Amino acid sequence: DRARATVLTKVAFSQIDARVLPEMSARVHFLMESADTASAQQRATVVIPKEALTTRDGARVVFVVKGDRAVMRAVQTGRELGATVEVLGGVQAGERVVLSPPGKMSTGQKVEISY
């Protein structure tokens, strides 16, 4: 739809997730690389919401959720992609991060997961 700048895309899931319901929508950012930097192989890109990033002692960090506790991790960031930022190191795909961590959050602090 040119007027709304949207593209209809169909997605199939390898595993069913009860949180995904019919008629849901998603926001997608296409990760384009210029021809001179494109690699021969595709690589997965890990992204996190910008609001998950915070600074501690001058370093960019996130709080990763392990069980019911937060663990601080330094991260190396790359490109900003809309409301997200590329993570080059420090967080692996599939790990959960704390959104908008409070200024006093520290490693070992209990967190509550909400969906």
Side-chain angles (χ1 to χ4, degrees):
D1 181 353
R2 285 185 170 270
R4 294 177 49 202
T6 60
V7 176
L8 175 63
T9 305
K10 295 186 179 190
V11 176
F13 292 94
S14 58
Q15 294 180 354
I16 302 298
D17 186 324
R19 296 173 292 175
V20 179
L21 302 171
E23 303 297 322
M24 284 184 125
S25 63
R27 182 176 303 259
V28 176
H29 295 277
F30 293 97
L31 309 176
M32 303 292 197
E33 294 190 29
S34 62
D36 58 334
T37 62
S39 62
Q41 294 182 341
Q42 289 182 329
R43 63 179 176 88
T45 301
V46 177
V47 296
I48 59 172
K50 286 181 190 176
E51 65 211 46
L53 284 171
T54 189
T55 304
R56 297 289 194 276
D57 298 324
R60 294 187 97 176
V61 300
V62 296
F63 286 90
V64 176
V65 177
K66 294 289 183 185
D68 65 348
R69 304 287 174 178
V71 178
M72 185 173 67
R73 278 224 206 121
V75 292
Q76 297 79 43
T77 57
R79 302 170 289 174
E80 289 190 10
L81 306 164
T84 63
V85 64
E86 178 182 28
V87 177
L88 303 174
V91 175
Q92 301 298 315
E95 289 186 303
R96 294 179 184 209
V97 295
V98 175
L99 296 179
S100 303
K104 294 183 179 183
M105 180 167 265
S106 60
T107 294
Q109 188 170 346
K110 191 170 184 168
V111 293
E112 181 178 319
I113 298 172
S114 62
Y115 294 96

XYZ file of all heavy atoms in Angstrom:
860
model
N 0.852 -1.167 0.000
C 0.000 0.000 0.000
C 0.898 1.230 0.000
O 1.463 1.599 1.028
C -0.909 -0.047 1.229
C -1.870 1.139 1.311
O -1.760 2.076 0.496
O -2.722 1.106 2.207
N 1.059 1.856 -1.135
C 1.948 3.013 -1.250
C 1.495 4.193 -0.387
O 2.313 4.918 0.156
C 2.052 3.464 -2.705
C 2.915 2.564 -3.538
C 3.041 3.168 -4.938
N 4.038 2.482 -5.697
C 5.320 2.811 -5.725
N 5.753 3.826 -5.018
N 6.171 2.129 -6.459
N 0.200 4.371 -0.253
C -0.316 5.506 0.517
C 0.063 5.399 1.989
O 0.335 6.399 2.643
C -1.833 5.593 0.372
N 0.091 4.180 2.526
C 0.423 3.978 3.936
C 1.850 3.502 4.124
O 2.282 3.276 5.250
C -0.547 2.971 4.554
C -1.961 3.507 4.602
C -2.961 2.535 5.142
N -2.525 1.922 6.386
C -2.968 0.776 6.847
N -3.850 0.088 6.158
N -2.541 0.279 7.975
N 2.579 3.307 3.035
C 3.966 2.812 3.078
C 4.043 1.488 3.831
O 4.860 1.299 4.719
C 4.893 3.852 3.688
N 3.147 0.562 3.473
C 3.131 -0.746 4.122
C 3.265 -1.841 3.079
O 2.950 -1.650 1.906
C 1.828 -0.974 4.916
O 0.725 -0.909 4.019
C 1.668 0.042 6.026
N 3.739 -2.996 3.532
C 3.875 -4.163 2.675
C 3.248 -5.343 3.405
O 3.573 -5.600 4.565
C 5.371 -4.481 2.396
C 5.517 -5.745 1.585
C 6.049 -3.307 1.716
N 2.351 -6.065 2.743
C 1.750 -7.248 3.335
C 2.770 -8.375 3.272
O 3.304 -8.691 2.215
C 0.484 -7.649 2.586
C -0.173 -8.949 3.057
C -0.635 -8.818 4.500
C -1.329 -9.309 2.156
N 3.057 -8.968 4.423
C 4.028 -10.054 4.514
C 3.416 -11.186 5.304
O 2.814 -10.966 6.345
C 5.314 -9.565 5.222
O 5.796 -8.416 4.534
C 6.370 -10.630 5.237
N 3.585 -12.397 4.811
C 3.078 -13.566 5.528
C 4.251 -14.266 6.191
O 5.301 -14.438 5.587
C 2.348 -14.500 4.578
C 1.092 -13.855 4.016
C 0.285 -14.808 3.207
C -0.959 -14.084 2.714
N -1.897 -15.001 2.111
N 4.046 -14.666 7.451
C 5.102 -15.287 8.251
C 4.606 -16.625 8.754
O 3.458 -16.750 9.183
C 5.473 -14.384 9.451
C 6.489 -15.053 10.351
C 5.964 -13.038 8.964
N 5.490 -17.624 8.740
C 5.160 -18.928 9.323
C 6.063 -19.146 10.525
O 7.240 -18.783 10.508
C 5.385 -20.028 8.298
N 5.501 -19.705 11.596
C 6.265 -19.962 12.811
C 6.650 -21.430 12.874
O 5.831 -22.306 12.595
C 5.446 -19.600 14.058
C 5.193 -18.119 14.191
C 4.030 -17.544 13.699
C 6.128 -17.319 14.804
C 3.811 -16.192 13.823
C 5.915 -15.956 14.933
C 4.757 -15.393 14.439
N 7.876 -21.699 13.287
C 8.298 -23.087 13.456
C 7.755 -23.659 14.762
O 7.601 -24.867 14.892
C 9.828 -23.200 13.417
O 10.402 -22.404 14.425
N 7.462 -22.801 15.736
C 6.849 -23.213 17.001
C 5.718 -22.244 17.317
O 5.886 -21.038 17.194
C 7.865 -23.187 18.148
C 8.964 -24.197 18.004
C 9.942 -24.115 19.179
O 9.854 -23.238 20.021
N 10.873 -25.051 19.213
N 4.594 -22.790 17.731
C 3.431 -21.959 18.052
C 3.641 -21.286 19.405
O 4.065 -21.905 20.366
C 2.145 -22.818 18.093
C 1.925 -23.531 16.757
C 0.932 -21.976 18.470
C 1.734 -22.601 15.583
N 3.354 -19.991 19.469
C 3.432 -19.222 20.703
C 2.028 -18.708 20.999
O 1.426 -18.027 20.157
C 4.409 -18.060 20.536
C 4.665 -17.299 21.817
O 3.729 -17.135 22.627
O 5.801 -16.849 22.010
N 1.505 -19.005 22.157
C 0.138 -18.632 22.523
C -0.077 -17.124 22.534
O -1.205 -16.651 22.440
C -0.222 -19.227 23.888
N 1.001 -16.345 22.640
C 0.861 -14.886 22.675
C 0.633 -14.290 21.297
O 0.231 -13.142 21.174
C 2.104 -14.257 23.297
C 2.289 -14.648 24.756
C 3.598 -14.146 25.277
N 4.664 -14.887 24.603
C 5.959 -14.651 24.742
N 6.366 -13.680 25.518
N 6.855 -15.375 24.112
N 0.888 -15.044 20.237
C 0.678 -14.559 18.877
C -0.746 -14.904 18.462
O -1.139 -16.066 18.437
C 1.697 -15.192 17.898
C 1.445 -14.698 16.480
C 3.119 -14.866 18.332
N -1.516 -13.875 18.143
C -2.932 -14.041 17.841
C -3.236 -13.597 16.409
O -2.497 -12.796 15.832
C -3.772 -13.209 18.822
C -3.560 -13.528 20.304
C -4.273 -12.504 21.164
C -4.011 -14.935 20.621
N -4.340 -14.088 15.841
C -4.724 -13.655 14.495
C -4.911 -12.142 14.440
O -5.280 -11.508 15.420
C -6.062 -14.368 14.261
C -6.036 -15.536 15.187
C -5.242 -15.089 16.387
N -4.634 -11.574 13.294
C -4.793 -10.147 13.027
C -3.799 -9.255 13.763
O -3.964 -8.041 13.789
C -6.231 -9.674 13.320
C -7.296 -10.419 12.544
C -7.178 -10.241 11.045
O -6.842 -9.135 10.590
O -7.405 -11.234 10.327
N -2.769 -9.829 14.392
C -1.736 -9.001 15.024
C -0.888 -8.365 13.933
O -0.806 -8.866 12.821
C -0.821 -9.833 15.926
C -1.430 -10.218 17.235
S -0.222 -11.080 18.246
C -0.282 -10.087 19.704
N -0.241 -7.266 14.258
C 0.651 -6.624 13.302
C 2.046 -6.550 13.904
O 2.229 -6.792 15.095
C 0.151 -5.216 12.966
O 0.179 -4.416 14.124
N 3.005 -6.229 13.074
C 4.390 -6.126 13.537
C 5.064 -4.977 12.815
O 4.697 -4.624 11.693
C 5.134 -7.425 13.253
N 6.041 -4.403 13.464
C 6.861 -3.365 12.843
C 8.187 -4.027 12.473
O 8.804 -4.692 13.291
C 7.110 -2.215 13.806
C 7.922 -1.095 13.199
C 8.060 0.051 14.168
N 6.748 0.537 14.572
C 6.170 1.627 14.065
N 6.791 2.317 13.155
N 4.987 2.008 14.487
N 8.611 -3.828 11.239
C 9.825 -4.469 10.737
C 10.776 -3.403 10.226
O 10.362 -2.454 9.561
C 9.482 -5.455 9.582
C 10.739 -6.051 8.998
C 8.531 -6.526 10.070
N 12.045 -3.570 10.547
C 13.082 -2.695 10.010
C 13.952 -3.535 9.089
O 14.441 -4.596 9.493
C 13.951 -2.114 11.133
C 13.197 -1.220 12.046
N 12.952 0.092 11.770
C 12.592 -1.465 13.230
C 12.241 0.622 12.745
N 12.007 -0.305 13.637
N 14.127 -3.096 7.861
C 14.971 -3.823 6.927
C 16.404 -3.370 7.119
O 16.701 -2.174 7.111
C 14.520 -3.573 5.487
C 13.176 -4.158 5.202
C 12.035 -3.378 5.263
C 13.045 -5.503 4.904
C 10.782 -3.919 5.014
C 11.806 -6.060 4.656
C 10.672 -5.267 4.718
N 17.289 -4.322 7.318
C 18.694 -4.028 7.567
C 19.439 -4.077 6.248
O 19.752 -5.139 5.727
C 19.274 -5.047 8.553
C 18.463 -5.228 9.845
C 19.074 -6.318 10.697
C 18.418 -3.920 10.600
N 19.710 -2.921 5.689
C 20.375 -2.843 4.391
C 21.847 -2.518 4.589
O 22.199 -1.689 5.411
C 19.747 -1.749 3.524
C 18.280 -1.938 3.304
S 18.016 -3.371 2.274
C 16.366 -3.078 1.754
N 22.667 -3.175 3.819
C 24.084 -2.864 3.819
C 24.463 -2.428 2.424
O 23.930 -2.932 1.443
C 24.906 -4.089 4.228
C 24.666 -4.498 5.658
C 25.654 -5.553 6.125
O 26.782 -5.584 5.613
O 25.279 -6.332 7.001
N 25.391 -1.503 2.327
C 25.822 -1.063 1.008
C 26.630 -2.172 0.356
O 27.148 -3.068 1.017
C 26.661 0.216 1.134
O 27.820 -0.051 1.882
N 26.737 -2.113 -0.949
C 27.417 -3.175 -1.703
C 28.859 -3.349 -1.266
O 29.384 -4.458 -1.256
C 27.344 -2.864 -3.192
N 29.540 -2.272 -0.868
C 30.945 -2.396 -0.483
C 31.138 -3.014 0.901
O 32.206 -3.515 1.208
C 31.663 -1.052 -0.567
C 31.015 0.009 0.300
O 29.808 -0.086 0.566
O 31.727 0.941 0.707
N 30.105 -3.027 1.750
C 30.243 -3.633 3.076
C 29.477 -4.941 3.212
O 29.578 -5.609 4.219
C 29.751 -2.675 4.185
O 28.370 -2.408 3.974
C 30.542 -1.386 4.202
N 28.692 -5.291 2.190
C 27.906 -6.529 2.271
C 28.836 -7.730 2.244
O 29.753 -7.809 1.454
C 26.916 -6.591 1.112
N 28.592 -8.668 3.150
C 29.404 -9.876 3.178
C 28.771 -10.937 2.301
O 27.592 -10.872 1.985
C 29.560 -10.392 4.610
O 28.294 -10.728 5.113
N 29.550 -11.926 1.941
C 29.050 -13.004 1.084
C 28.008 -13.831 1.822
O 27.100 -14.365 1.222
C 30.205 -13.876 0.626
N 28.146 -13.950 3.126
C 27.193 -14.728 3.914
C 26.315 -13.778 4.708
O 26.763 -12.740 5.171
C 27.915 -15.649 4.892
C 28.722 -16.724 4.231
C 29.373 -17.624 5.282
O 29.496 -17.244 6.440
N 29.778 -18.802 4.862
N 25.059 -14.180 4.875
C 24.181 -13.396 5.725
C 24.515 -13.694 7.172
O 24.911 -14.802 7.508
C 22.724 -13.774 5.475
C 22.201 -13.323 4.151
C 20.740 -13.688 3.998
O 20.282 -14.686 4.529
N 20.011 -12.874 3.255
N 24.363 -12.691 8.034
C 24.593 -12.922 9.452
C 23.396 -12.401 10.230
O 22.749 -11.437 9.837
C 25.867 -12.235 9.927
C 25.846 -10.727 9.820
C 27.148 -10.129 10.333
N 27.141 -8.705 10.139
C 26.657 -7.823 10.999
N 26.141 -8.219 12.131
N 26.683 -6.536 10.738
N 23.110 -13.084 11.296
C 21.997 -12.660 12.142
C 22.393 -11.387 12.867
O 23.549 -11.206 13.235
C 21.658 -13.753 13.142
N 21.437 -10.508 13.062
C 21.678 -9.260 13.773
C 20.856 -9.276 15.053
O 19.656 -9.500 15.017
C 21.279 -8.053 12.909
O 22.043 -8.080 11.700
C 21.535 -6.748 13.631
N 21.512 -9.048 16.178
C 20.826 -8.965 17.463
C 20.503 -7.494 17.712
O 21.380 -6.642 17.607
C 21.713 -9.518 18.604
C 21.025 -9.353 19.950
C 22.051 -10.978 18.345
N 19.240 -7.220 18.022
C 18.830 -5.848 18.336
C 18.075 -5.852 19.658
O 17.474 -6.848 20.044
C 17.952 -5.222 17.222
C 18.719 -5.076 15.932
C 16.688 -6.009 16.999
N 18.155 -4.728 20.348
C 17.415 -4.539 21.589
C 16.749 -3.164 21.541
O 17.189 -2.285 20.806
C 18.326 -4.626 22.838
C 19.433 -3.573 22.775
C 18.899 -6.026 23.002
C 20.256 -3.461 24.041
N 15.678 -2.964 22.313
C 15.073 -1.629 22.377
C 16.074 -0.622 22.957
O 16.821 -0.943 23.884
C 13.885 -1.821 23.325
C 13.624 -3.289 23.335
C 14.940 -3.950 23.109
N 16.081 0.576 22.417
C 16.984 1.619 22.915
C 16.779 1.869 24.409
O 17.723 2.155 25.137
C 16.753 2.936 22.163
C 17.287 2.956 20.774
C 17.013 4.313 20.146
C 17.317 4.323 18.681
N 16.961 5.611 18.049
N 15.533 1.739 24.866
C 15.228 2.026 26.270
C 15.857 1.022 27.231
O 15.912 1.254 28.430
C 13.724 2.087 26.485
C 13.040 0.764 26.253
C 11.627 0.896 25.742
O 11.408 1.689 24.822
O 10.758 0.197 26.262
N 16.352 -0.108 26.722
C 17.009 -1.098 27.589
C 18.445 -0.697 27.903
O 19.036 -1.174 28.864
C 16.994 -2.479 26.928
N 19.020 0.209 27.099
C 20.399 0.661 27.318
C 20.471 1.681 28.448
O 19.606 2.546 28.573
C 20.956 1.325 26.057
C 21.375 0.408 24.937
C 21.696 1.226 23.691
C 22.577 -0.425 25.332
N 21.519 1.578 29.234
C 21.790 2.561 30.268
C 23.300 2.699 30.390
O 24.052 1.968 29.748
C 21.133 2.165 31.617
O 21.250 3.257 32.527
C 21.731 0.912 32.196
N 23.753 3.618 31.190
C 25.192 3.844 31.360
C 25.566 3.654 32.822
O 24.883 4.154 33.712
C 25.575 5.276 30.921
O 25.139 5.463 29.572
C 27.064 5.498 31.006
N 26.633 2.913 33.047
C 27.190 2.714 34.391
C 28.698 2.904 34.284
O 29.350 2.239 33.485
C 26.894 1.311 34.935
C 25.426 0.987 35.139
C 24.841 1.776 36.318
N 23.561 1.282 36.753
C 22.401 1.614 36.208
N 22.355 2.439 35.196
N 21.272 1.117 36.680
N 29.237 3.822 35.068
C 30.674 4.121 35.075
C 31.208 4.391 33.670
O 32.276 3.913 33.287
C 31.466 2.984 35.727
C 31.079 2.785 37.181
O 30.800 3.795 37.865
O 31.039 1.621 37.627
N 30.427 5.109 32.869
C 30.853 5.496 31.531
C 30.711 4.424 30.464
O 31.034 4.662 29.310
N 30.229 3.238 30.813
C 30.069 2.154 29.841
C 28.596 1.934 29.541
O 27.748 2.087 30.421
C 30.678 0.869 30.381
N 28.291 1.562 28.302
C 26.917 1.219 27.935
C 26.640 -0.194 28.416
O 27.401 -1.111 28.129
C 26.719 1.320 26.432
C 26.860 2.770 25.940
C 26.497 2.872 24.525
N 25.098 3.327 24.489
C 24.448 3.608 23.384
N 25.017 3.451 22.229
N 23.201 4.032 23.429
N 25.553 -0.356 29.160
C 25.211 -1.662 29.717
C 23.726 -1.942 29.546
O 22.925 -1.035 29.299
C 25.570 -1.763 31.229
C 27.060 -1.538 31.450
C 24.753 -0.810 32.059
N 23.385 -3.209 29.680
C 21.992 -3.651 29.780
C 21.910 -4.590 30.970
O 22.935 -5.075 31.463
C 21.498 -4.384 28.503
C 21.495 -3.469 27.311
C 22.305 -5.629 28.244
N 20.702 -4.828 31.419
C 20.476 -5.812 32.470
C 19.768 -6.997 31.836
O 18.661 -6.869 31.327
C 19.672 -5.213 33.625
C 20.488 -4.281 34.461
C 20.545 -2.931 34.169
C 21.236 -4.770 35.520
C 21.314 -2.071 34.928
C 22.015 -3.908 36.291
C 22.060 -2.561 35.993
N 20.445 -8.139 31.840
C 19.910 -9.374 31.281
C 19.176 -10.108 32.387
O 19.626 -10.139 33.527
C 21.054 -10.244 30.714
C 20.539 -11.573 30.211
C 21.791 -9.495 29.609
N 18.039 -10.708 32.057
C 17.244 -11.444 33.038
C 17.720 -12.890 33.083
O 17.726 -13.592 32.072
C 15.740 -11.386 32.693
C 14.924 -12.204 33.681
C 15.268 -9.947 32.650
N 18.152 -13.329 34.258
C 18.550 -14.716 34.510
C 17.661 -15.239 35.629
O 17.818 -14.819 36.779
C 20.026 -14.810 34.921
C 20.996 -14.426 33.836
C 21.009 -15.486 32.762
C 22.027 -15.136 31.709
N 21.989 -16.053 30.595
N 16.710 -16.122 35.279
C 15.744 -16.582 36.280
C 14.842 -15.430 36.673
O 14.143 -14.876 35.843
N 14.927 -15.031 37.935
C 14.147 -13.872 38.390
C 15.058 -12.747 38.868
O 14.663 -11.893 39.638
C 13.158 -14.277 39.486
C 13.847 -14.751 40.763
O 15.074 -14.991 40.730
O 13.166 -14.880 41.791
N 16.302 -12.742 38.382
C 17.295 -11.728 38.783
C 17.864 -10.996 37.574
O 17.926 -11.537 36.473
C 18.459 -12.382 39.538
C 18.057 -13.176 40.753
C 17.645 -12.289 41.874
N 17.118 -13.075 43.001
C 16.725 -12.548 44.111
N 16.768 -11.249 44.286
N 16.254 -13.313 45.072
N 18.320 -9.774 37.809
C 18.957 -8.971 36.768
C 20.468 -9.105 36.879
O 21.018 -9.108 37.980
C 18.558 -7.504 36.917
N 21.122 -9.224 35.732
C 22.582 -9.303 35.681
C 23.071 -8.219 34.728
O 22.673 -8.193 33.560
C 23.057 -10.695 35.195
C 24.564 -10.742 35.093
C 22.533 -11.790 36.107
N 23.931 -7.321 35.226
C 24.443 -6.236 34.399
C 25.488 -6.762 33.429
O 26.343 -7.553 33.806
C 25.058 -5.137 35.277
C 25.496 -3.933 34.466
S 26.043 -2.551 35.498
C 27.511 -3.223 36.222
N 25.398 -6.309 32.168
C 26.364 -6.685 31.139
C 26.748 -5.489 30.302
O 25.884 -4.752 29.840
C 25.750 -7.710 30.186
C 25.809 -9.063 30.724
C 26.246 -10.077 29.694
N 25.662 -11.309 30.158
C 24.820 -12.035 29.487
N 24.512 -11.720 28.266
N 24.319 -13.111 30.018
N 28.033 -5.324 30.088
C 28.502 -4.294 29.164
C 28.190 -4.764 27.746
O 28.275 -5.952 27.448
C 30.004 -4.081 29.332
N 27.804 -3.833 26.882
C 27.481 -4.173 25.501
C 28.215 -3.247 24.545
O 28.531 -2.108 24.875
C 25.961 -4.103 25.215
C 25.213 -5.184 25.949
C 25.393 -2.747 25.541
N 28.482 -3.786 23.370
C 29.015 -2.985 22.277
C 27.866 -2.811 21.291
O 27.258 -3.791 20.877
C 30.189 -3.682 21.574
C 31.402 -3.922 22.462
C 31.221 -5.131 23.361
O 30.736 -6.160 22.947
N 31.600 -4.993 24.628
N 27.562 -1.561 20.948
C 26.423 -1.288 20.082
C 26.884 -0.852 18.704
O 27.997 -0.359 18.521
C 25.514 -0.211 20.696
O 26.270 0.965 20.932
C 24.901 -0.702 21.995
N 25.981 -1.050 17.747
C 26.239 -0.662 16.364
C 25.228 0.368 15.914
O 24.991 1.362 16.595
N 24.573 0.075 14.805
C 23.633 1.015 14.184
C 22.350 1.170 14.992
O 21.913 0.233 15.648
C 23.235 0.504 12.792
C 24.399 0.302 11.874
C 23.963 -0.421 10.621
N 23.651 -1.816 10.970
C 23.136 -2.688 10.132
N 22.851 -2.343 8.908
N 22.886 -3.927 10.509
N 21.766 2.358 14.912
C 20.442 2.582 15.463
C 19.452 2.263 14.359
O 19.594 2.721 13.230
C 20.282 4.022 15.948
C 21.084 4.292 17.191
C 20.751 5.627 17.831
O 19.766 6.276 17.427
O 21.485 6.018 18.746
N 18.453 1.442 14.681
C 17.470 0.979 13.705
C 16.078 1.301 14.232
O 15.448 0.485 14.906
C 17.630 -0.529 13.487
C 19.044 -0.979 13.112
C 19.209 -2.464 13.295
C 19.366 -0.560 11.691
N 15.621 2.499 13.991
C 14.321 2.924 14.518
C 14.380 3.018 16.030
O 15.235 3.703 16.592
N 13.505 2.289 16.701
C 13.449 2.302 18.166
C 14.373 1.256 18.779
O 14.349 1.040 19.981
C 12.022 2.062 18.636
N 15.195 0.623 17.949
C 16.107 -0.409 18.436
C 17.546 -0.050 18.102
O 17.804 0.868 17.328
C 15.788 -1.793 17.812
O 15.977 -1.719 16.391
C 14.376 -2.228 18.134
N 18.471 -0.783 18.701
C 19.886 -0.584 18.418
C 20.527 -1.959 18.232
O 20.187 -2.914 18.923
C 20.579 0.234 19.540
C 20.565 -0.490 20.862
C 21.983 0.623 19.153
N 21.426 -2.045 17.272
C 22.138 -3.286 16.992
C 23.144 -3.554 18.107
O 23.820 -2.646 18.572
C 22.867 -3.142 15.655
C 23.696 -4.314 15.246
C 24.427 -4.069 13.940
O 24.730 -2.904 13.616
O 24.704 -5.054 13.249
N 23.233 -4.814 18.537
C 24.196 -5.205 19.569
C 25.278 -6.047 18.908
O 24.994 -7.097 18.335
C 23.518 -6.002 20.707
C 24.542 -6.463 21.724
C 22.455 -5.157 21.379
N 26.515 -5.578 18.995
C 27.639 -6.284 18.386
C 28.278 -7.268 19.346
O 28.970 -8.187 18.927
C 28.685 -5.270 17.897
C 28.158 -4.231 16.911
C 29.236 -3.195 16.611
C 27.667 -4.895 15.638
N 28.051 -7.073 20.639
C 28.604 -7.980 21.636
C 28.039 -7.704 23.007
O 27.643 -6.584 23.314
N 27.959 -8.747 23.827
C 27.495 -8.598 25.200
C 26.150 -9.229 25.470
O 25.837 -9.567 26.605
N 25.322 -9.365 24.432
C 24.004 -9.986 24.560
C 23.834 -10.960 23.402
O 24.172 -10.636 22.268
C 22.869 -8.928 24.527
C 21.504 -9.585 24.542
C 22.991 -7.976 25.692
N 23.308 -12.126 23.715
C 23.066 -13.141 22.694
C 21.606 -13.122 22.272
O 20.732 -12.711 23.039
C 23.414 -14.536 23.242
C 24.847 -14.688 23.693
C 25.832 -14.478 22.560
O 25.650 -14.997 21.471
N 26.865 -13.698 22.816
N 21.332 -13.603 21.068
C 19.958 -13.713 20.579
C 19.148 -14.575 21.541
O 19.627 -15.595 22.021
C 19.943 -14.322 19.185
N 17.950 -14.130 21.862
C 17.060 -14.894 22.736
C 17.137 -14.507 24.199
O 16.256 -14.879 24.978
N 18.163 -13.772 24.602
C 18.244 -13.342 26.001
C 17.260 -12.205 26.234
O 17.050 -11.366 25.371
C 19.660 -12.893 26.360
C 20.641 -14.030 26.427
C 22.001 -13.591 26.920
O 22.601 -12.688 26.306
O 22.447 -14.141 27.938
N 16.680 -12.187 27.426
C 15.742 -11.127 27.799
C 16.495 -10.010 28.495
O 17.377 -10.270 29.312
C 14.669 -11.654 28.734
C 13.772 -12.651 28.076
C 12.754 -13.160 29.049
N 11.955 -14.181 28.412
C 10.714 -14.437 28.722
N 10.116 -13.778 29.691
N 10.056 -15.366 28.091
N 16.109 -8.775 28.179
C 16.719 -7.618 28.825
C 15.650 -6.817 29.548
O 14.473 -6.858 29.186
C 17.468 -6.722 27.805
C 18.651 -7.446 27.213
C 16.544 -6.223 26.718
N 16.061 -6.088 30.558
C 15.154 -5.233 31.321
C 14.916 -3.949 30.527
O 15.872 -3.294 30.101
C 15.758 -4.898 32.707
C 14.873 -3.918 33.456
C 15.985 -6.172 33.511
N 13.655 -3.606 30.324
C 13.313 -2.359 29.644
C 13.314 -1.221 30.647
O 12.791 -1.368 31.752
C 11.943 -2.460 28.982
C 11.813 -3.486 27.865
C 10.393 -3.493 27.334
C 12.795 -3.197 26.754
N 13.898 -0.116 30.295
C 13.956 1.083 31.147
C 14.421 0.768 32.562
O 13.689 0.988 33.537
C 12.595 1.778 31.187
O 12.169 2.108 29.894
N 15.635 0.239 32.715
C 16.101 -0.092 34.069
C 16.238 1.163 34.924
O 16.717 2.189 34.460
C 17.471 -0.737 33.836
C 17.896 -0.267 32.489
C 16.651 -0.007 31.701
N 15.803 1.081 36.190
C 15.933 2.236 37.074
C 17.407 2.558 37.332
O 18.263 1.672 37.261
C 15.241 1.798 38.364
C 14.786 0.408 38.177
C 15.166 -0.047 36.814
N 17.690 3.800 37.656
C 19.064 4.240 37.897
C 19.784 3.500 39.002
O 20.998 3.395 39.001
N 19.043 2.943 39.953
C 19.670 2.250 41.083
C 19.703 0.741 40.892
O 20.107 0.014 41.789
C 18.929 2.579 42.378
C 19.066 4.028 42.771
C 18.385 4.312 44.085
C 18.563 5.789 44.450
N 17.985 6.094 45.748
N 19.284 0.244 39.715
C 19.288 -1.203 39.494
C 20.713 -1.730 39.532
O 21.647 -1.081 39.072
C 18.655 -1.564 38.152
C 18.632 -3.059 37.878
S 17.568 -3.483 36.488
C 16.095 -3.864 37.414
N 20.869 -2.926 40.119
C 22.192 -3.539 40.203
C 22.070 -5.043 39.984
O 20.980 -5.612 40.031
C 22.832 -3.262 41.568
O 22.024 -3.796 42.594
N 23.199 -5.683 39.741
C 23.227 -7.129 39.543
C 22.662 -7.835 40.763
O 22.963 -7.471 41.896
C 24.673 -7.602 39.269
O 25.085 -7.064 38.016
C 24.775 -9.108 39.222
N 21.829 -8.840 40.526
C 21.232 -9.614 41.602
C 19.870 -9.122 42.042
O 19.178 -9.806 42.799
N 19.475 -7.947 41.572
C 18.179 -7.399 41.955
C 17.072 -8.246 41.339
O 17.154 -8.655 40.189
C 18.059 -5.957 41.508
C 16.836 -5.260 42.022
C 16.904 -3.756 41.754
O 17.955 -3.203 41.429
N 15.769 -3.104 41.894
N 16.032 -8.512 42.112
C 14.912 -9.326 41.645
C 14.103 -8.541 40.626
O 13.877 -7.345 40.781
C 14.039 -9.748 42.817
C 13.028 -10.795 42.458
C 12.363 -11.356 43.682
C 11.431 -12.484 43.241
N 10.963 -13.267 44.341
N 13.669 -9.249 39.547
C 12.835 -8.623 38.526
C 11.576 -9.462 38.334
O 11.556 -10.662 38.625
C 13.573 -8.490 37.183
C 14.721 -7.517 37.279
C 14.051 -9.835 36.670
N 10.549 -8.804 37.855
C 9.291 -9.489 37.580
C 9.059 -9.436 36.072
O 9.155 -8.371 35.462
C 8.144 -8.796 38.292
C 6.810 -9.455 38.083
C 5.711 -8.754 38.854
O 5.934 -8.365 40.009
O 4.622 -8.568 38.268
N 8.770 -10.576 35.480
C 8.554 -10.656 34.043
C 7.068 -10.478 33.767
O 6.234 -11.161 34.363
C 9.047 -11.992 33.473
C 10.556 -12.130 33.706
C 8.704 -12.116 31.997
C 11.115 -13.464 33.355
N 6.738 -9.563 32.868
C 5.349 -9.365 32.458
C 5.278 -9.503 30.948
O 6.216 -9.149 30.248
C 4.824 -8.000 32.903
O 5.577 -6.989 32.299
N 4.174 -10.004 30.471
C 4.010 -10.227 29.025
C 3.043 -9.255 28.464
O 2.124 -8.838 28.958
C 3.540 -11.654 28.760
C 4.567 -12.676 29.128
C 4.542 -13.316 30.366
C 5.568 -13.002 28.241
C 5.473 -14.254 30.689
C 6.523 -13.951 28.576
C 6.465 -14.578 29.799
O 7.419 -15.492 30.123
